[in-house]
Amino acid sequence: MHAFSSISAICEKKKSWAIQQESQLKEFVQNSFTGRLYLMKQNFEQEISEVKKEIREAKCKHNVKLFCLKESKVALKCLIEDLRDVCELQEEVDGSDEGTTYAIGDTSTDQQKTRKEFVETLIQAKQDVDKVEMAKDELCDELKQMKQKLDTSEKMRMELHDELERVKQDLDNSRKECALLQAKGLPIKQCIERKQPTGSVEVTVSQYHRFSIGLLFTFHDGIQTRYHPFPGQPYKGSTIAGRLKNDSEGQTVCRMLKTAFRKGRMFTVGHDGNVWLSGISMFDSDFLAIVPISHYAEYIQGVKAELKAKGITEDTIDQTETVEGIFIVDGP
């Protein structure tokens, strides 16, 4: 019934199309629409071919077909058992005096067992399929969780990568700043170790003195900073003088002393509130006037050793710097 109903529905649809085409054809003929008739003829041949094709396909798709199956004793027994519910078995005489037999056999325990096994097999197969589906769902859930963890790990990796880039950039900036400070002669260590108060030095050269290079360091009264023994307390200013010979060695030592003074490594404020030399010897003109030449040579070597201990050597000074001059150095 379903097959013939489908075929009938398609035929009715095509029948309506044919009636519409016939009505349109009559209208064109009555009104002498030659051009439209020509166009209609051109399209009609293609359309009618499509109609015939659809009708043929409908018959093929909705036709009742005969299927032949290979012989199976199990399937035959199951079929006989089902037929007993709706059919009546006919006796067939085979010419024997021993009685009659059923042509299709009789129901036995083997047949019932076969059907039972068949049903159990189907139930087991369905259970196996359900287990497979359940395992598949579990694997899908686990795969989703792994994907979420992977996405989270990737996100964390990107965040760590960005953080590493920022740290690297900060490190590069710090290195540049450190190099800039070193280039300007203001390392952090020197700033911390600088304890010398604000003062000035004046270097003069006299041709009328045995030790013609004179150094005069001058400090005015001031307030001690946090690098001095008593921050916030006043300190007394002072004037300290020294002299050197005007030869190559004397000029070198003079430049070394000026470098040490410029870097704040010569003087400091003592516990008594006075400005004192810090680890460097300085002899005034009165003393140098009476000492032997050999003692002066020892003095020069001692001053060089003291300056070397503070990081001031002949290699760290400007050998072309003018000996004479005045400059002021600010304290910490």
Side-chain angles (χ1 to χ4, degrees):
M1 289 177 63
H2 176 72
F4 290 135
S5 296
S6 300
I7 296 173
S8 176
I10 295 175
C11 291
E12 288 294 329
K13 181 179 179 181
K14 298 307 174 184
K15 180 180 177 182
S16 300
W17 173 83
I19 293 173
Q20 181 181 1
Q21 293 291 317
E22 182 182 9
S23 175
Q24 192 173 17
L25 180 61
K26 289 179 180 180
E27 180 183 356
F28 291 166
V29 171
Q30 291 176 0
N31 296 322
S32 299
F33 293 156
T34 306
R36 296 186 180 183
L37 286 170
Y38 176 76
L39 294 175
M40 183 176 182
K41 178 179 179 300
Q42 295 296 325
N43 297 328
F44 183 78
E45 293 180 358
Q46 182 179 357
E47 292 176 354
I48 195 64
S49 297
E50 293 293 332
V51 170
K52 292 178 179 179
K53 179 181 177 182
E54 291 183 13
I55 293 177
R56 286 196 302 270
E57 290 179 353
K59 290 181 180 180
C60 293
K61 290 181 179 179
H62 302 286
N63 195 9
V64 179
K65 299 178 178 62
L66 176 64
F67 297 92
C68 298
L69 305 177
K70 292 183 179 180
E71 182 179 355
S72 173
K73 292 182 179 180
V74 176
L76 180 60
K77 291 180 180 180
C78 294
L79 178 61
I80 293 173
E81 186 173 302
D82 291 339
L83 290 176
R84 287 183 180 277
D85 297 334
V86 295
C87 303
E88 181 180 353
L89 293 178
Q90 300 293 330
E91 294 182 358
E92 183 179 284
V93 179
D94 57 3
S96 174
D97 295 337
E98 294 179 358
T100 60
T101 60
Y102 293 109
I104 60 175
D106 55 354
T107 304
S108 63
T109 305
D110 294 338
Q111 294 176 358
Q112 296 177 358
K113 182 179 180 181
T114 302
R115 172 166 290 281
K116 182 178 180 181
E117 292 177 351
F118 183 66
V119 172
E120 290 177 353
T121 302
L122 289 177
I123 294 174
Q124 184 64 38
K126 186 176 182 302
Q127 292 176 353
D128 294 340
V129 171
D130 294 339
K131 290 180 180 179
V132 172
E133 288 294 330
M134 185 180 298
K136 185 187 73 171
D137 293 339
E138 292 178 355
L139 289 176
C140 289
D141 294 339
E142 186 175 354
L143 182 61
K144 289 180 180 179
Q145 295 177 359
M146 292 299 295
K147 187 177 182 301
Q148 292 176 354
K149 292 181 179 179
L150 183 61
D151 293 340
T152 303
S153 300
E154 183 66 18
K155 184 177 180 181
M156 292 178 62
R157 188 186 71 82
M158 293 301 295
E159 292 177 353
L160 289 175
H161 180 269
D162 295 339
E163 183 67 21
L164 181 61
E165 289 294 330
R166 289 194 294 270
V167 172
K168 183 179 178 183
Q169 186 64 34
D170 293 340
L171 182 60
D172 292 340
N173 294 335
S174 298
R175 288 175 177 173
K176 292 179 180 179
E177 292 177 359
C178 183
L180 183 61
L181 289 175
Q182 290 179 353
K184 291 182 178 180
L186 293 175
I188 297 176
K189 182 178 179 181
Q190 292 183 5
C191 293
I192 294 176
E193 293 179 351
R194 188 182 182 93
K195 300 179 180 180
Q196 178 176 287
T198 300
S200 63
V201 60
E202 179 181 2
V203 181
T204 58
V205 178
S206 174
Q207 298 179 356
Y208 305 102
H209 201 283
R210 180 183 177 188
F211 302 96
S212 56
I213 299 178
L215 297 93
L216 182 63
F217 299 93
T218 303
F219 297 94
H220 300 288
D221 296 343
I223 302 299
Q224 300 185 49
T225 66
R226 59 176 177 169
Y227 301 105
H228 298 146
F230 303 99
Q233 298 295 322
Y235 66 85
K236 297 178 181 180
S238 61
T239 301
I240 300 175
R243 303 199 69 86
L244 300 168
K245 280 188 176 183
N246 189 13
D247 53 12
S248 60
E249 189 171 40
Q251 292 178 3
T252 298
V253 173
C254 179
R255 292 187 179 99
M256 293 173 66
L257 290 171
K258 290 171 66 176
T259 301
F261 182 74
R262 187 180 294 110
K263 294 184 177 182
R265 300 181 183 179
M266 284 191 65
F267 296 90
T268 185
V269 177
H271 291 278
D272 57 357
N274 295 320
V275 179
W276 297 98
L277 281 167
S278 177
I280 296 179
S281 302
M282 185 69 62
F283 298 111
D284 57 20
S285 58
D286 295 336
F287 182 80
L288 291 175
I290 60 176
V291 298
I293 298 299
S294 60
H295 288 189
Y296 174 79
E298 294 176 0
Y299 158 69
I300 288 295
Q301 297 303 319
V303 172
K304 284 185 177 181
E306 293 170 348
L307 290 171
K308 183 178 180 181
K310 293 183 177 295
I312 309 298
T313 64
E314 297 181 24
D315 297 331
T316 61
I317 65 173
D318 184 5
Q319 295 286 357
T320 62
E321 181 185 8
T322 303
V323 174
E324 291 185 284
I326 302 174
F327 62 88
I328 300 174
V329 177
D330 293 330

